Amino acid sequence: SDLKNINSEGWAKLENLNVKFNHPKFTGLATLDFFSKFKKSDSLESTSKIALNLNQMKIVLGSQFAKPSGIPLNAEFNFLGTGHELKIEHGAVQFYNLTPQVSGTLLNGPKITTKINTVIAPTNLDGWEQFLVPIPAHKASGQIQGKIAY
């Protein structure tokens, strides 16, 4: 049978997958949620949502960076796939008080192309010194904002 002529539809769901880590760089709980719905007729269409919560994870990256458990770190992405295109309809990341929004597309054709846009709303840097191990005695101040396109 020719796979191109098979029509089907369905979904897959993963809820509250909790994984505990005990590693020098990553200690604590990570939670993953995933949902995907697909339909295959003349072409393939799918919608997916992925959410990762690392709020209860302690992360230590050498002597440069440390995120204590209890500090927000999470991400959520909604994807739409049609034919050879994967679109990020909505992407949101949160680390502490930084909340960049992400959108874009990935085209898988003769040449793979990407267009990713990230917008960082004005974010106050007060308190960020707690994450930068070499400079905890110095107070962070100021603001960050921007747009990144790739």
Side-chain angles (χ1 to χ4, degrees), residues 10-119:
W11 56 269
K13 187 175 193 176
L14 180 65
E15 283 185 301
N16 291 322
L17 174 63
N18 291 319
V19 181
K20 288 188 177 182
F21 290 84
N22 185 9
H23 183 272
K25 293 183 179 183
F26 307 98
T27 306
L29 183 67
T31 302
L32 177 69
D33 290 299
F34 172 80
F35 179 77
S36 185
K37 184 176 171 182
F38 67 90
K39 182 176 182 179
K40 164 70 175 76
S41 54
D42 292 338
S43 64
L44 178 63
E45 295 179 9
S46 66
T47 57
S48 300
K49 180 178 181 177
I50 299 172
L52 178 63
N53 182 318
L54 301 175
N55 294 346
Q56 300 308 312
M57 176 84 58
K58 176 182 174 185
I59 301 173
V60 177
L61 302 177
S63 61
Q64 301 299 310
F65 176 83
K67 178 199 111 40
S69 175
I71 297 293
L73 176 57
N74 50 69
E76 183 176 295
F77 288 89
N78 295 333
F79 298 97
L80 174 63
T82 55
H84 296 285
E85 180 180 73
L86 180 64
K87 183 176 182 180
I88 302 171
E89 291 189 309
H90 171 76
V93 178
Q94 178 186 16
F95 173 62
Y96 192 49
N97 63 336
L98 181 70
T99 56
Q101 303 293 308
V102 181
S103 63
T105 57
L106 173 98
L107 295 174
N108 185 14
K111 180 181 176 187
I112 296 176
T113 58
T114 59
K115 183 178 180 184
I116 306 294
N117 298 300
T118 304
V119 176

Side-chain angles (χ1 to χ4, degrees), residues 121-138:
T123 303
N124 189 328
L125 295 175
D126 290 349
W128 276 75
E129 66 275 358
Q130 68 182 307
F131 309 117
L132 306 173
V133 177
I135 58 168
H138 302 284

